[in-house]
């Protein structure tokens, strides 16, 4: 884990990628000075990655996520919480390139819309854990897509998603399709 190593730049990430090609898991959470260039190097140099935490990496954009999806198709666990520049384009690429995703955290990614979550639900049917707290543009359409496409879903975080209504919650409960164990709908 290199979490909170705030001085890391693209040069350090490139060196990591070149020197550790068998890397399976990496946490770069809150390492704010590297960019898509570093993530592109990581994706090219570490194709065996299955777990990546890039939470609060503010310089990361859709371009970096697209590179990660192309270079690391075996990703199972991805945290992109509070990566504020991300849009549906990056999430769609992740859904298309990483169909084995099991867990994804997109809390505070406030540019995401239903289109990105629909693509994620359709492209990644093995999702069991999804965190979308404070993704304020999401509506019942996203919840319906997850309920209809992700039958293994056990944990769903939707805290402060104020556009959700009873319709979406009914969709989650419809017909006992899901084995939800944890559902967060709090407004705190």
């Amino acid at each position: 884990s290199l979490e909170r190593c705030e001085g890391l730049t693209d040069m350090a990430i490139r060196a990591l990628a070149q020197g550790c090609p068998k890397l399976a898991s990496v946490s770069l959470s809150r390492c704010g000075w590297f960019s898509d260039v570093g993530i592109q190097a990581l994706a090219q140099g570490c194709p065996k990655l299955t777990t990546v935490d890039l939470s609060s990496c503010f310089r990361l954009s859709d371009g970096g996520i697209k590179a990660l999806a192309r270079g690391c198709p075996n990703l199972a666990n991805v945290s992109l919480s509070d990566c504020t520049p991300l849009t549906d384009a990056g999430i769609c690429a992740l859904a298309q390139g990483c169909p084995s995703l099991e867990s994804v955290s997109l809390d505070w990614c406030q540019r995401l819309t239903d289109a990105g979550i629909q693509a994620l639900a359709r492209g990644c049917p093995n999702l069991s854990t999804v965190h979308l707290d404070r993704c304020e543009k999401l509506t019942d359409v996203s919840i319906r897509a997850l309920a209809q496409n992700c039958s293994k879903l056990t944990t769903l975080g939707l805290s402060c998603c104020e556009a959700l209504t009873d319709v979406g919650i009914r969709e989650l409960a419809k017909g006992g399709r899901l084995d939800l164990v944890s559902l967060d709908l709090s407004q705190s």
Side-chain angles (χ1 to χ4, degrees):
S1 173
L2 297 171
E3 185 174 329
R4 292 186 182 249
C5 292
E6 295 174 7
L8 290 183
T9 66
D10 291 328
M11 189 180 337
I13 305 302
R14 188 177 298 121
L16 178 70
Q18 290 172 347
C20 303
K22 294 181 182 178
L23 196 63
S25 177
V26 64
S27 176
L28 297 167
S29 176
R30 295 190 168 112
C31 298
W33 291 106
F34 67 87
S35 68
D36 291 341
V37 173
I39 295 303
Q40 289 165 355
L42 189 68
Q44 290 173 346
C46 302
K48 296 181 184 212
L49 280 172
T50 58
T51 301
V52 175
D53 185 351
L54 299 170
S55 301
S56 299
C57 294
F58 301 112
R59 296 181 68 207
L60 186 60
S61 74
D62 293 330
I65 300 308
K66 288 176 182 179
L68 200 60
R70 277 192 309 271
C72 304
N74 298 317
L75 283 174
N77 305 291
V78 176
S79 181
L80 300 170
S81 295
D82 206 17
C83 291
T84 53
L86 291 185
T87 70
D88 293 335
I91 301 309
C92 288
L94 195 64
Q96 189 173 28
C98 304
S100 299
L101 268 181
E102 296 171 9
S103 174
V104 64
S105 293
L106 300 169
D107 301 334
W108 289 92
C109 292
Q110 295 181 344
R111 293 182 179 189
L112 295 184
T113 70
D114 292 328
I117 303 308
Q118 285 178 300
L120 192 65
R122 289 182 186 131
C124 304
N126 293 320
L127 281 170
S128 62
T129 301
V130 178
H131 291 280
L132 300 169
D133 301 331
R134 296 200 181 269
C135 292
E136 297 170 353
K137 293 182 180 180
L138 301 184
T139 71
D140 296 328
V141 172
S142 290
I143 306 312
R144 184 178 304 113
L146 289 167
Q148 290 176 349
N149 295 288
C150 302
S151 61
K152 297 178 182 179
L153 194 63
T154 59
T155 302
L156 182 58
L158 298 167
S159 173
C160 297
C161 293
E162 296 176 0
L164 301 180
T165 70
D166 293 349
V167 173
I169 304 311
R170 278 196 304 267
E171 195 66 43
L172 283 175
K174 189 185 273 184
R177 287 187 295 228
L178 301 178
D179 290 326
L180 275 180
V181 175
S182 175
L183 176 63
D184 183 359
L185 297 169
S186 63
Q187 292 297 318
S188 56

